């Protein structure tokens, strides 16, 4: 695949290469990406986020605004959409880099010379808000991208720019000028669709009763539910069993500590 070689599991290190086109050697960066499954727009359950997805797809085609800002609470799908946009642009032959700013071993130097790319995607901006060196690096990257033929920027954070603890007023002003989209989390109908669609992609079938049982016991975080589907797929293959309520109950007993009843999630 033409994007990044990703090792499964949290905080696993991998080599993230700028996509598709040879550039300077500085564009090959060791980044700790956390992609539990290949991201893609087709794997994202849109819920009430159709407008944001449409804007992102235009952005990937180099249509509409050159810079966009996504914000939303935990598990609203920000990282999934940024990774999906990166993958889409790579498939279109663009040179693009996804940078998770919450990675502890990154320094602002990672943003040097990225204006040579077609697009830069900065995730979890809140992780570096208030840090002058990072804010200045992002501000200068923004300006350099604006002076290129078509350089694009996509930024995600839990809060919109005006509510982040940004110390650099010029950066806050630049980001506030970007079209911003609030991502809304899934309701139970969306989680049901996520489970049934994800199961079908893995060759499993979850009926309504099974899905209802899972949702009464599991955390409602879409990332957790997706990880659970991976474990369920492995377990059904290993034991050659259908995903029935008793089988899933046994699996959940092994995954969830007894004192952490997910019904309170």
């Amino acid at each position: 695949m033409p994007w990044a070689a990703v090792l499964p599991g949290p905080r696993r290190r991998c080599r993230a290469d700028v996509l598709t086109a040879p550039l300077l050697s500085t564009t090959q960066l060791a980044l700790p990406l956390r992609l539990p499954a290949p991201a893609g727009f087709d794997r994202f359950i849109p819920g009430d986020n159709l407008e944001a997805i449409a804007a992102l797809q235009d952005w990937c085609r180099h249509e509409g605004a050159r810079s966009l800002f996504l914000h939303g609470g935990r598990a609203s799908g920000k990282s999934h959409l940024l990774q999906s946009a990166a993958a889409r642009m790579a498939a279109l032959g663009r040179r693009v880099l996804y940078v998770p700013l919450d990675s502890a071993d990154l320094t602002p130097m990672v943003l040097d010379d990225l204006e040579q790319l077609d697009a830069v995607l900065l995730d979890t901006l809140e992780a570096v808000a208030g840090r002058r060196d990072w804010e200045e690096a992002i501000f200068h990257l923004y300006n350099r991208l604006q002076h290129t033929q078509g350089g694009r920027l996509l930024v995600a954070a839990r809060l919109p720019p005006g509510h982040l603890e940004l110390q650099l007023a010029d950066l806050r002003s630049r980001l506030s000028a970007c079209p911003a989209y609030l991502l809304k989390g899934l309701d139970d109908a969306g989680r049901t669709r996520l489970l049934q669609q994800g199961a079908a992609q893995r060759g499993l079938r979850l009926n309504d009763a099974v899905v209802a049982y899972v949702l009464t016991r599991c955390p409602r975080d879409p990332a957790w539910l997706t990880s659970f589907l991976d474990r369920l797929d492995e377990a059904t293959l290993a034991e050659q069993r259908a995903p029935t309520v008793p089988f899933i109950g046994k699996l959940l007993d092994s995954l969830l500590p007894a004192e952490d009843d997910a019904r309170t999630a």
Side-chain angles (χ1 to χ4, degrees):
M1 60 184 289
W3 181 18
V6 179
L7 300 177
R11 297 289 179 182
R12 297 291 297 274
R13 291 189 61 81
C14 69
R15 189 176 182 82
D17 294 333
V18 171
L19 307 184
T20 71
L23 237 84
L24 299 178
S25 60
T26 54
T27 62
Q28 292 190 322
L29 308 170
L31 299 180
L33 304 186
R34 304 179 306 285
L35 306 183
F41 289 117
D42 60 333
R43 290 179 174 266
F44 187 79
I45 306 301
D48 294 327
N49 299 306
L50 291 173
E51 183 181 3
I53 294 171
L56 274 178
Q57 291 175 332
D58 286 344
W59 183 87
C60 292
R61 293 190 293 266
H62 275 221
E63 298 174 3
R66 289 175 61 174
S67 300
L68 296 179
F69 197 101
L70 302 182
H71 62 98
R74 182 179 179 275
S76 58
K78 301 182 296 296
S79 295
H80 185 116
L81 286 177
L82 261 67
Q83 294 159 11
S84 299
R88 174 67 59 83
M89 294 194 80
L92 294 172
R94 309 292 188 185
R95 300 166 300 171
V96 55
L97 186 68
Y98 165 85
V99 183
L101 295 172
D102 60 343
S103 299
D105 53 351
L106 290 186
T107 70
M109 290 180 61
V110 75
L111 304 183
D112 290 352
D113 301 321
L114 295 188
E115 69 275 10
Q116 301 172 71
L117 307 182
D118 294 303
V120 179
L121 301 91
L122 304 180
D123 201 357
T124 58
L125 177 63
E126 68 275 7
V128 297
R131 296 172 57 180
R132 186 79 181 191
D133 54 348
W134 271 106
E135 291 189 18
E136 289 183 351
I138 294 169
F139 172 72
H140 292 306
L141 172 63
Y142 178 97
N143 288 337
R144 295 195 307 270
L145 286 169
Q146 293 301 307
H147 287 90
T148 63
Q149 288 289 338
R152 302 203 146 222
L153 179 67
L154 179 58
V155 183
R158 289 196 178 184
L159 298 171
H163 291 81
L164 290 170
E165 297 181 357
L166 295 171
Q167 302 301 309
L168 192 60
D170 286 339
L171 176 61
R172 186 186 309 110
S173 174
R174 297 291 195 280
L175 295 179
S176 295
C178 302
Y181 296 89
L182 169 63
L183 296 180
K184 301 175 183 177
L186 294 177
D187 56 15
D188 276 352
R191 295 184 187 97
T192 295
R193 184 179 170 190
L194 182 152
L195 285 169
Q196 292 182 327
Q197 179 175 303
Q201 289 170 340
R202 294 164 174 80
L204 301 172
R205 181 180 180 277
L206 300 184
N207 60 38
D208 292 342
V210 169
V211 170
Y213 174 75
V214 170
L215 290 178
T216 63
R217 290 207 56 192
C218 287
R220 302 303 181 91
D221 183 337
W224 199 100
L225 294 174
T226 300
S227 177
F228 165 72
L229 287 173
D230 291 335
R231 298 292 296 272
L232 179 62
D233 187 26
E234 294 169 0
T236 54
L237 284 173
E239 300 192 29
Q240 294 297 296
R241 295 276 303 277
T244 61
V245 167
F247 182 82
I248 289 175
K250 181 180 177 182
L251 176 62
L252 289 176
D253 287 342
S254 70
L255 296 176
L256 297 172
E259 68 273 15
D260 184 23
D261 190 344
R263 285 174 291 187
T264 63

